[in-house]
Amino acid sequence: YYAFQAALRAVGAAGGGWALLAALRAIGFGLRSEVKKSDRDALDECCDDNLVVPRHVAVIMDGNRRFGRQKYGDSLSGHRAGGEKLREFILWCSDLGIEFLTVFAFSTENWKREEKEVQAMMELFLSEVPRLGEHAMNHNCRVRFLASDSEPLPADVKAAVASLEEMSSSCTGLTLNVCLSYGGRSDVVRACRGIAEKVQSGELDPRHIGDATVKHHLLTGDIPDPDVLIRTSGERRLSNFLMFQLAYAELFFLEKHWPEVEQEDLMDVVKQFQRRHRRFGK
């Protein structure tokens, strides 16, 4: 059973592997009775050649504080549970062959929270980065941190994320983008500033500026825009997340808090995504 799960994750971490998954299902059919039903269902769905999987999924991981207060009596435990859920979610995305996962971990607006809470979150983040790093390396996952305003970040946090980025830079599976001290508007402002500097220096003709120019200067400029946005905890707004990049994303809102999300929820989103007709204004 454990070998089955490891094989399933390893194939997904390599970037899809639908044919190999199908072969695994064929040669391991006699072992299905030893595998719990949820994993058998996941294997069947992963091996469905007709399953249209989004290349890039973005997630607003909302509801950690509420979950922590309801279940543990404190918000910090909810953030810790959210970190554990992210590590699970990485595996689910890898199993499906999703190439890019971008998550909203800490916004520029979050700095306005009480100083004690912000400090506790930074300390928790420092303890979570090594766990995330070990998880990423075990599953061939590249990790990048996107900050539209890195100045408020403590020096030890900056050092920790830079170390993880370097350590995972050669990984070739899923790319995880963690938005930390990030705001969609400040991302656009930062891009516009970069474009203006190039115009001022004569490097760029303003007549040649278009959507592609702005996109290239965003923090996500080297990857495709999200196909899907998932927001948890019943909220139905973007909250200044990837404001430019989400122009044509399919939006999905889950009533569950982030730590309560299950693999079946992601599969349901993928199935709904498959049924939607993306015309991009045509």
Side-chain angles (χ1 to χ4, degrees), residues 57-68:
V57 172
V59 183
I60 300 178
M61 305 180 294
D62 200 12
N64 291 329
R65 287 198 298 177
R66 279 163 282 180
F67 175 82

Side-chain angles (χ1 to χ4, degrees), residues 116-215:
K116 183 179 179 181
E117 180 183 358
V118 170
Q119 183 178 352
M121 291 181 68
M122 290 296 111
E123 291 174 356
L124 177 62
F125 193 78
L126 273 176
S127 68
E128 286 293 325
V129 168
R131 296 188 184 100
L132 178 60
E134 181 180 3
H135 190 73
M137 297 306 294
N138 286 340
H139 299 285
N140 194 30
C141 174
R142 182 186 180 190
V143 184
R144 306 193 310 175
F145 293 87
L146 310 182
S148 61
D149 182 10
S150 62
E151 186 175 347
L153 289 170
D156 50 1
V157 171
K158 291 179 182 178
V161 301
S163 175
L164 177 49
E165 285 185 326
E166 182 179 0
M167 181 174 66
S168 66
S169 61
S170 61
C171 293
T172 57
L174 173 75
T175 294
L176 171 67
N177 300 306
V178 181
C179 292
L180 178 67
S181 191
Y182 175 88
R185 288 182 175 181
S186 57
D187 192 6
V188 174
V189 169
R190 176 184 168 280
C192 291
R193 188 179 294 119
I195 293 170
E197 290 172 353
K198 288 184 177 180
V199 170
Q200 188 176 36
S201 68
E203 183 181 348
L204 179 63
D205 187 335
R207 292 173 297 180
H208 298 158
I209 296 173
D211 284 4
T213 314
V214 178
K215 173 180 167 51

Side-chain angles (χ1 to χ4, degrees), residues 7-41:
L8 180 60
R9 287 197 295 267
V11 171
W18 306 106
L20 183 55
L21 270 174
L24 177 61
R25 181 173 63 176
I27 65 175
F29 218 78
L31 300 175
R32 290 172 65 84
S33 60
E34 302 174 22
V35 180
K36 64 181 182 180
K37 184 179 184 303
S38 60
D39 287 330
R40 293 201 305 269
D41 293 343

